[in-house]
């Protein structure tokens, strides 16, 4: 049966007519789209993307551990040209990401995105799982928890599927009987250090509240030399209002003497909410506006996250923050080869999490519901659908024009 979905070209413009996928030989069409649209548009390295302001990171989720989805998401977004894939600091998850990347590169010889693992220095919303005992629930409960879960992590008539839960907390808020608990955890430092020494892990992200320099120091010190070969260290933190800049400076001073690569500040606007709607991205944009104009911040690229979605670039443009360059600061990125010392974008890029997973997840779950655990590339029609969805999102930052390639 022919499948059709609305197509969004660059900048999210809705086209008049939906595409009819039965017209295409899926895999060949995918290869052609990627070769014509993505490969000429992505820079030769993720560092260049950071400098130009068109860096895109896929957030698989610091707690999301569904290996089949992670592998397929990594494949799709590698083909869509992301610069980095951020995942849970678990060996099996890292393997799944790398498997997806290599499967994508076997289809089309595209640049390998960096693989980033995310850890926390203390309790953090991104590092928790919901849990409840379904036998303890009143029989007449309408199960709003199941309906509200964006990850399909709550089984019909059952409890939480731990590997799919990424801790968004929406089920906690809707349970009328207060039956759901949030189990928080902190990633183990020794296991993280071992992962960082793998050749297929390129970057680290530390999630922190920014309020406790002592726990940040403890984690950073505990990681020791394992960060020596990284390409990027990111710190993800919320807007701390009046103390944001002093917190950034405190964290940077802890890392400064032992950081051997570029660094990035992930501005976590409204955590894990990009799939909710247009307004979810406002906090991240407001955070970016504030930091872009702050003069006394420590060095490091700035990247948005938390509530980011298809409307984020539009918001950045309104604020004149999209791919706007800074004044040349030759000393700012001294770890970057001198040939790359050119004006840097004020905002280096955008990370997409829940929204990115939702638009491609719709396709992946249709594959899984019909075929069980499956490799998305074995289903060309669905692969093409997933690619078009991902290009529409990544293309807002990378400025792809996919319209003429597809029609
Ligand atoms: S709603 Fe969020 S916290 Fe609850 S089970 Fe689903 S993903 Fe986990
Ligand atoms: S909403 Fe609460 S009581 Fe109802 S099924 Fe979900 S966890 Fe159980």
């Amino acid at each position: 049966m022919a499948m059709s979905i609305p197509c969004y070209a660059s900048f999210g413009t809705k086209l008049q007519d939906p595409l009819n996928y039965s017209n295409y030989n899926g895999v060949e069409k995918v290869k052609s789209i990627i070769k014509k649209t993505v490969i000429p548009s992505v820079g030769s390295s993720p560092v260049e993307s950071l400098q130009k302001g068109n860096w895109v990171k896929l957030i698989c989720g610091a707690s999301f551990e569904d290996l089949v989805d992670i592998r397929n998401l990594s494949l799709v977004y590698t083909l869509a040209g992301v610069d980095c894939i951020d995942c849970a600091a678990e060996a099996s998850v890292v393997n799944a990401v790398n498997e997806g990347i290599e499967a994508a590169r076997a289809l089309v010889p595209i640049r390998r995105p960096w693989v980033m693992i995310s850890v926390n220095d203390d309790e953090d919303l991104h590092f928790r799982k919901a849990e409840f005992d379904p036998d303890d629930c009143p029989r007449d409960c309408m199960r709003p928890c199941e309906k509200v879960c964006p990850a399909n992590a709550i089984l019909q008539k059952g409890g939480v599927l731990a590997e799919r839960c990424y801790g968004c907390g929406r089920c906690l808020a809707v349970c009328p009987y207060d039956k759901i608990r949030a189990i928080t955890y902190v990633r183990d430092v020794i296991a993280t250090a071992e992962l960082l020494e793998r050749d297929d892990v390129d970057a680290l992200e530390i999630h922190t509240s920014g309020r406790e320099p002592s726990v940040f120091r403890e984690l950073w010190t505990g990681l020791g030399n394992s960060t020596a070969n990284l390409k990027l260290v990111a710190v993800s933190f919320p807007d701390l209002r009046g103390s944001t800049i002093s917190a950034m400076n405190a964290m940077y001073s802890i890392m400064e003497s032992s950081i051997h690569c570029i660094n990035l500040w992930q501005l976590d606007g409204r955590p894990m909410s990009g799939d909710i709607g247009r307004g979810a991205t406002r906090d991240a944009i407001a955070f970016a506006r504030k930091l872009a104009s702050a003069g006394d911040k420590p060095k490091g690229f700035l990247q948005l996250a938390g509530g980011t979605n298809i409307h984020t670039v539009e918001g950045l443009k309104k604020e004149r923050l999209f791919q706007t360059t800074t004044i040349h600061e030759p000393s700012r990125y001294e770890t970057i080869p001198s040939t790359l010392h050119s004006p840097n974008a004020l905002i280096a890029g955008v990370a997409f999490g829940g929204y990115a997973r939702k638009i491609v997840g719709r396709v992946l779950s249709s594959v899984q519901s019909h075929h069980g655990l499956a490799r998305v590339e074995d289903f060309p029609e669905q692969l093409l659908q997933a690619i078009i969805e991902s290009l529409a999102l990544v293309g807002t930052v990378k400025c792809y024009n996919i319209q003429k390639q597809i029609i």
Side-chain angles (χ1 to χ4, degrees), residues 132-134 136-138 141-146 154 158 171 174-180:
F132 68 89
D133 178 358
D136 198 25
C137 298
C141 178
M142 301 296 284
R143 296 185 64 85
C145 59
E146 206 181 300
I154 300 181
C171 58
V174 300
C175 176
Y177 301 101
D178 202 20
K179 296 285 184 192
I180 310 178

Side-chain angles (χ1 to χ4, degrees), residues 21-33:
Y21 290 97
S22 64
N23 293 336
Y24 303 114
N25 172 352
V27 170
E28 289 313 311
K29 189 72 193 173
V30 166
K31 288 181 183 177
S32 168
I33 291 170

Side-chain angles (χ1 to χ4, degrees), residues 108-308:
V108 184
I110 191 167
R111 182 200 63 184
R112 178 183 175 274
W114 287 347
V115 175
M116 170 185 277
I117 57 169
S118 271
V119 297
N120 51 334
D121 65 357
D122 205 352
E123 282 196 7
D124 184 291
L125 292 180
H126 301 85
F127 298 81
R128 65 178 182 174
K129 299 274 187 189
E131 191 181 275
F132 68 89
D133 178 358
D135 294 335
D136 198 25
C137 298
R139 289 196 177 169
D140 60 351
C141 178
M142 301 296 284
R143 296 185 64 85
C145 59
E146 206 181 300
K147 296 181 189 81
V148 81
C149 177
N152 296 326
I154 300 181
L155 299 167
Q156 251 186 350
K157 298 182 185 167
V160 177
L161 204 54
E163 66 265 31
R164 289 198 63 85
C165 174
Y166 64 90
C168 73
R170 291 177 215 174
C171 58
L172 295 156
V174 300
C175 176
Y177 301 101
D178 202 20
K179 296 285 184 192
I180 310 178
R181 298 173 296 280
I183 311 294
T184 57
Y185 60 94
V186 178
R187 291 280 180 201
D188 179 65
V189 181
I190 295 170
T192 301
E194 282 171 13
L195 278 178
L196 292 177
E197 283 169 4
R198 284 174 52 154
D199 290 343
D200 55 5
V201 173
D202 307 277
L204 167 71
E205 181 159 277
I206 300 173
H207 287 251
T208 180
S209 69
R211 292 192 177 87
E212 295 286 346
S214 60
V215 292
F216 187 86
R217 183 189 301 279
E218 194 180 328
L219 171 59
W220 182 255
T221 309
L223 292 172
N225 285 335
S226 66
T227 59
N229 295 321
L230 292 178
K231 300 182 176 93
L232 172 73
V233 171
V235 174
S236 179
F237 66 111
D239 187 351
L240 298 170
R241 310 295 168 196
S243 48
T244 301
I245 300 297
S246 60
M248 289 171 76
N249 279 310
M251 290 187 280
Y252 189 73
S253 69
I254 290 168
M255 298 189 294
E256 190 168 15
S257 62
S258 51
I259 194 165
H260 304 293
C261 58
I262 54 175
N263 74 298
L264 177 150
W265 302 99
Q266 174 164 288
L267 315 181
D268 198 10
R270 184 175 163 188
M272 298 181 280
S273 65
D275 58 307
I276 290 174
R278 173 183 280 267
T281 197
R282 280 193 208 117
D283 288 356
I285 290 167
F287 198 178
R289 185 177 57 224
K290 177 172 147 180
L291 280 197
S293 59
D296 48 357
K297 56 186 179 283
K299 77 172 185 179
F301 292 103
L302 301 177
Q303 172 232 280
L304 276 68
T308 48

